[in-house]
Amino acid sequence: MKIYTKTGDTGTTALFGGTRVPKHNIRIESYGTVDELNSYLGLVRTQEIDPRSKEILTHIQDRLFTLGAILATDPAKATLKSGKERLNIPKITEENITLLENEMDRMNDALPPMTHFILPGGNTTVSYCHIARTVCRRAERRATLLNENEPIDEMVLKYLNRLSDYLFVLARKLSKDTNAEETQWIPKKL
């Protein structure tokens, strides 16, 4: 399989199903940002972190490939002439979202209560996690814009929303695990 096809040389790309759209199309922006997020999660996963977090991040990366495939599919071509779905892969489910919620609850139970906003940072690993969180929020913004124009699977939006919350809690957990200082944001008085 060749990596280069030369079909995108004029600024268009193909959705799953063959429809060609401009590379700046909101659908491309949506799944491109999910791809960027997945790359940052790979960076977080390669850090010195606990095995459970690595395992969950690997699972999340798998789910993000599915989520990206959903976003990359032309809704008009999502169903084949035979009536079967073009995407013959497990979709994003409530169980996937529940896993994130359960992991957040587990991590939160071991963390001190949060009384202020926290400035991103502390060390490289925590910072990577915060970058992933902000890219996740951007992916969510792109997906909600896409949804306004072409409705998408509601589980995609729900998963991205919960994932950004998960990444925030994971950053706090990694701060604790690595003894990194959490810097609280306390506004200065005028």
Side-chain angles (χ1 to χ4, degrees):
M1 178 173 122
K2 282 193 173 188
I3 297 299
Y4 61 93
T5 62
K6 301 182 184 181
T7 59
D9 291 352
T10 59
T12 65
T13 192
L15 298 175
F16 193 47
T19 305
R20 296 207 64 82
V21 297
K23 290 187 177 186
H24 63 271
N25 181 285
I26 188 60
R27 185 171 289 281
I28 307 306
E29 282 286 329
S30 293
Y31 73 74
T33 306
V34 168
D35 186 35
E36 182 183 354
L37 168 61
N38 210 337
S39 296
Y40 276 111
L41 292 182
L43 184 60
V44 173
R45 190 172 48 82
T46 61
Q47 303 302 300
E48 293 293 323
I49 62 174
D50 64 285
R52 177 68 181 170
S53 294
K54 285 186 183 217
E55 177 187 335
I56 296 299
L57 287 171
T58 300
H59 175 78
I60 290 167
Q61 287 187 283
D62 171 81
R63 298 291 66 219
L64 288 178
F65 261 90
T66 294
L67 197 145
I70 291 167
L71 291 172
T73 302
D74 180 353
K77 297 184 178 180
T79 304
L80 301 171
K81 290 179 183 175
S82 66
K84 290 184 179 180
E85 288 187 37
R86 181 172 297 279
L87 279 180
N88 188 19
I89 57 176
K91 304 299 186 290
I92 303 297
T93 65
E94 280 292 341
E95 289 77 25
N96 299 139
I97 292 162
T98 300
L99 173 68
L100 295 176
E101 292 171 347
N102 289 341
E103 286 299 309
M104 280 187 278
D105 292 343
R106 184 183 62 75
M107 289 186 291
N108 254 333
D109 286 346
L111 293 171
M114 202 171 86
T115 58
H116 294 83
F117 286 109
I118 297 168
L119 299 179
N123 64 36
T124 303
T125 301
V126 175
S127 295
Y128 288 153
C129 197
H130 278 294
I131 291 169
R133 173 186 57 79
T134 62
V135 172
C136 188
R137 286 286 189 212
R138 180 162 30 94
E140 182 183 16
R141 291 190 304 271
R142 298 287 193 265
T144 57
L145 178 59
L146 173 61
N147 189 56
E148 284 181 11
N149 298 298
E150 298 177 43
I152 59 176
D153 181 349
E154 67 181 18
M155 298 306 285
V156 166
L157 298 175
K158 195 171 181 181
Y159 191 80
L160 288 171
N161 181 269
R162 209 66 85 251
L163 179 55
S164 61
D165 294 336
Y166 168 83
L167 292 170
F168 177 76
V169 178
L170 179 61
R172 291 200 69 220
K173 177 199 182 302
L174 296 175
S175 286
K176 181 179 181 213
D177 290 353
T178 60
N179 294 315
E181 182 182 348
E182 278 190 338
T183 304
Q184 296 180 344
W185 178 65
I186 301 172
K188 303 290 184 220
K189 302 230 185 247
L190 293 178

